[in-house]
């Protein structure tokens, strides 16, 4: 059995590693990650997502206290989450849209996805992503309910990433996704449990179930699309996965008006 001190050190290391991947917070480990460490740490991705959601919730609350309208508060909250993450997932969504939408061959699609320039498909994807999330938050309006929705969305949208990575092989031998490796079953299960817990606590059982169904369907569709077009997943595909999940959860929260 692992000593308690070692267990706590491993948990803290995993949390720092996950936060360093999905945020710009200066929490990266000073030592190079050991083999399999990144894959093992994926269980902490939804926990890191919770930090992002809390940042957006705090900005929304402050904006509301200053008398700003729900529209402006929602826009500032989205700006805060993009700032904390360095727009990592938005970049992945845009690259995925450009690559899958613009390339004719597998090689060309992967080449486009690695290009730092953004194309028409990418711009349209970002407009839709920000527009849908902004509209959902502005519709909810209530700062406390917005906080619940943001925390649930950023947590649960990342909770499925380990499962996606374990079930869909990398599309190329190099890159962020390939170097991370395939998450072990324990990490997949913990992340999934954290995501479900966040949804149930924030949205209630019924809305959580609706969100899970939508997340599963969108994940399956994205996996099939990625496998057919480029032979697997990449870091950009993972970013698109997160963004899609975030959008769906916020739309469910807005549609059902959690918390009144």
């Amino acid at each position: 059995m692992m000593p308690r001190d070692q267990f706590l050190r491993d948990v803290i290391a995993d949390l720092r590693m996950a936060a360093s991947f999905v945020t710009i917070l200066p929490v990266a480990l000073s030592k190079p990650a050991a083999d399999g460490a990144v894959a093992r740490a994926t269980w902490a991705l939804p926990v890191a997502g919770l930090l992002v959601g809390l940042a957006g919730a705090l900005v929304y609350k402050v904006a509301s206290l200053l008398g700003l309208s729900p529209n402006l508060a929602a826009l500032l909250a989205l700006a805060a989450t993009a700032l904390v993450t360095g727009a990592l997932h938005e970049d992945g969504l845009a690259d995925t849209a450009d690559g899958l939408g613009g390339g004719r061959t597998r090689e060309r699609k992967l080449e486009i996805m690695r290009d730092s320039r953004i194309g028409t498909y990418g711009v349209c994807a970002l407009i839709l992503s920000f527009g849908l999330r902004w509209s959902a938050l502005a519709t909810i309006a209530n700062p406390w309910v917005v906080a619940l929705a943001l925390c649930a969305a950023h947590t649960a949208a990342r909770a499925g990433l380990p499962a996606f990575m374990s079930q869909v092989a990398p599309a190329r031998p190099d890159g962020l996704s390939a170097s991370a490796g395939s998450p072990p079953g324990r990490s997949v299960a913990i992340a999934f449990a954290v995501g479900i817990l966040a949804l149930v606590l924030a949205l209630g059982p019924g809305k959580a179930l609706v969100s899970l169904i939508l997340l599963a369907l969108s994940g399956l569709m994205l996996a099939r699309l990625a496998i057919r077009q480029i032979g697997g997943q990449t870091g950009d595909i993972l970013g698109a996965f997160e963004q899609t999940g975030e959008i769906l959860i916020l739309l469910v929260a807005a549609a059902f008006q959690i918390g009144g």
Side-chain angles (χ1 to χ4, degrees):
M1 181 177 292
M2 183 183 298
R4 180 178 298 179
D5 290 346
Q6 182 60 47
F7 174 76
L8 291 176
R9 284 195 293 268
D10 288 345
V11 168
I12 293 173
D14 288 351
L15 290 170
R16 291 179 62 182
M17 189 173 296
S20 70
F21 267 98
V22 301
T23 74
I24 60 172
L25 299 176
V27 294
L29 298 172
S30 57
K31 297 180 180 180
D35 291 342
V38 175
R40 185 195 68 200
T42 54
W43 70 265
L45 289 174
V47 181
L50 176 60
L51 297 177
V52 180
L54 288 172
L58 177 62
V59 169
Y60 190 96
K61 178 62 176 179
V62 171
S64 299
L65 290 174
L66 293 176
L68 298 181
S69 69
N71 286 334
L72 287 175
L75 189 59
L76 290 173
L78 288 178
T81 59
L83 179 63
V84 170
T85 62
L88 173 68
H89 304 303
E90 285 83 358
D91 179 69
L93 174 66
D95 287 342
T96 296
D98 280 333
L100 300 187
R104 289 180 175 271
T105 65
R106 174 182 180 275
E107 291 71 22
R108 180 55 181 157
K109 291 176 186 293
L110 289 171
E111 180 184 351
I112 292 174
M113 291 171 73
R114 272 195 162 159
D115 194 331
S116 60
R117 294 170 296 182
I118 187 171
T120 303
Y121 287 106
V123 171
C124 291
L126 288 178
I127 290 174
L128 284 173
S129 175
F130 276 102
L132 289 171
R133 289 182 290 159
W134 169 75
S135 298
L137 293 176
T139 298
I140 296 171
N142 183 300
W144 170 245
V145 183
V146 165
L148 291 175
L150 280 171
C151 290
H154 282 278
T155 301
R158 292 168 176 84
L161 288 173
F164 194 90
M165 294 170 66
S166 68
Q167 295 301 312
V168 183
R172 49 191 171 210
D174 58 344
L176 177 63
S177 181
S179 63
S182 179
R186 182 178 180 182
S187 296
V188 172
I190 294 175
F192 193 66
V194 172
I196 292 177
L197 180 63
L199 288 173
V200 172
L201 291 178
L203 277 67
K207 290 90 173 184
L209 179 60
V210 173
S211 297
L212 285 172
I213 292 173
L214 292 176
L215 289 173
L217 290 175
S218 65
L220 289 172
M221 291 175 61
L222 181 60
R224 183 179 181 184
L225 187 65
I227 292 172
R228 290 183 61 182
Q229 294 208 21
I230 60 175
Q233 47 92 0
T234 66
D236 288 328
I237 294 292
L238 297 180
F241 178 94
E242 189 282 335
Q243 284 284 281
T244 303
E246 196 179 319
I247 292 168
L248 291 173
I249 294 168
L250 290 179
L251 288 177
V252 170
F256 289 98
Q257 281 297 283
I258 59 174

